[in-house]
Amino acid sequence: MQENRNKTGFIFDLDGVIVDTAKYHYLAWKNLADELGIKFNEDDNEKFKGVSRKRCLEILLEMGELSVSEQQFEAWLVEKNEDYLKYIEKMDQTEILPDVEKVLQYLKKRNIPMALGSASKNARLILEKVRLLSYFETIVDGNSVTQAKPDPEVFLMAAAHLNVEASNCIVFEDAVAGIAAANAAEMTSIGIGASSVLSEADHNYNDFTEIDLAFLDKLIINSSIA
Ligand code: BG6
Ligand code: MG
């Protein structure tokens, strides 16, 4: 990958950027919250975006003012994930968000290095389900990092794996914590979602249908059509 050194690299978050799995995370957390008698709605779920599974459960238990044993905590983490995986099992290519594949295809055609940078431990499984795994030179996910977003570790590791300078990386993110992580890594951040929420992003789009290829061209340096 020495040849990537002076190139622009693109790093994609997964949940909420490539696929709308936030709705499945919500349903699984809601099931657990109901079981524990904790009120939980879609607004509460915003706080869970980009945040590790463990941290999500800590937040949920704080909301319910519950303190539990380590063993119980681990059991609920497993329960939530097993529930979530029931939704993931049914996923296929139809769940790729609009125009995501168009952008991936364009960047691939231009020989641009691409990485996944996700907090999820299920990232590889989901990419397999929606058949997008082959676009990425590297997958950095919740199994690879020790620090969760907004720490920049996930994106810095992705840049290192691509052998691209951090300052030459562009990050697509839908979570406030993810935009903060990209900015802390001194990368260009592109918020996917409401600009009122992702106000710290360098650029903002509601979804990939709003991103034209000329904009991507402007972000790309030193690359050629493959
Ligand atoms: C992030 C999601 O991508 O992954 C969070 O935005 C989620 O909502 C986190 O909690 C961890 O996911 P998983 O699949 O490891 O439970
Ligand atoms: Mg996300």
Side-chain angles (χ1 to χ4, degrees), residues 12-19 21-22 48-51 117-119 149 172-176 178 192:
F12 292 75
D13 174 47
L14 176 68
D15 296 314
V17 167
I18 292 178
V19 283
T21 33
F48 285 27
K49 289 187 179 171
V51 174
S118 167
K149 300 169 186 176
F172 292 107
E173 253 296 344
D174 71 311
V176 174
I192 302 293

Side-chain angles (χ1 to χ4, degrees), residues 3-14:
E3 71 278 9
N4 287 348
R5 202 67 206 138
N6 295 314
K7 282 189 173 182
T8 304
F10 280 74
I11 306 175
F12 292 75
D13 174 47
L14 176 68

Side-chain angles (χ1 to χ4, degrees), residues 15-196:
D15 296 314
V17 167
I18 292 178
V19 283
D20 184 17
T21 33
K23 65 186 176 202
Y24 300 137
H25 279 296
Y26 170 68
L27 292 170
W29 284 122
K30 175 79 180 139
N31 281 342
L32 183 63
D34 286 351
E35 185 188 317
L36 306 185
I38 301 170
K39 284 208 177 72
F40 183 74
N41 60 30
E42 295 202 41
D43 283 343
D44 298 319
N45 194 51
E46 281 301 312
K47 288 181 233 140
F48 285 27
K49 289 187 179 171
V51 174
S52 71
R53 192 183 312 162
K54 185 166 170 277
R55 183 65 198 130
C56 289
L57 182 54
E58 284 168 1
I59 300 171
L60 186 71
L61 296 179
E62 280 162 21
M63 287 167 60
E65 295 178 357
L66 291 180
S67 66
V68 297
S69 70
E70 213 170 297
Q71 204 183 5
Q72 181 62 78
F73 188 91
E74 287 303 319
W76 282 335
L77 280 184
V78 170
E79 183 179 328
K80 185 270 170 181
N81 196 51
E82 283 177 354
D83 198 14
Y84 177 65
L85 288 177
K86 285 186 200 145
Y87 299 104
I88 300 309
E89 278 308 315
K90 297 186 196 120
M91 286 185 84
D92 63 22
Q93 283 168 295
T94 60
E95 299 209 38
I96 301 169
L97 286 167
D99 280 359
V100 166
E101 204 162 7
K102 184 182 91 177
V103 169
L104 290 170
Q105 278 167 358
Y106 182 71
L107 295 174
K108 189 90 176 168
K109 196 172 98 190
R110 290 204 56 175
N111 208 14
I112 303 294
M114 287 186 273
L116 193 90
S118 167
S120 173
K121 294 187 172 178
N122 297 302
R124 196 171 280 274
L125 170 69
I126 294 169
L127 286 177
E128 276 166 9
K129 284 281 185 196
V130 299
R131 299 187 183 280
L132 292 180
L133 196 56
S134 63
Y135 283 102
F136 300 99
E137 284 187 27
T138 182
I139 309 292
V140 181
D141 63 14
N143 301 298
S144 333
V145 295
T146 56
Q147 304 297 319
K149 300 169 186 176
D151 189 282
E153 183 186 10
V154 61
F155 295 139
L156 291 173
M157 195 180 281
H161 286 187
L162 292 177
N163 196 25
V164 168
E165 296 280 352
S167 57
N168 289 343
C169 285
I170 318 288
V171 175
F172 292 107
E173 253 296 344
D174 71 311
V176 174
I179 293 294
N183 291 344
E186 300 191 349
M187 298 177 174
T188 300
S189 55
I190 304 183
I192 302 293
S195 56
S196 53

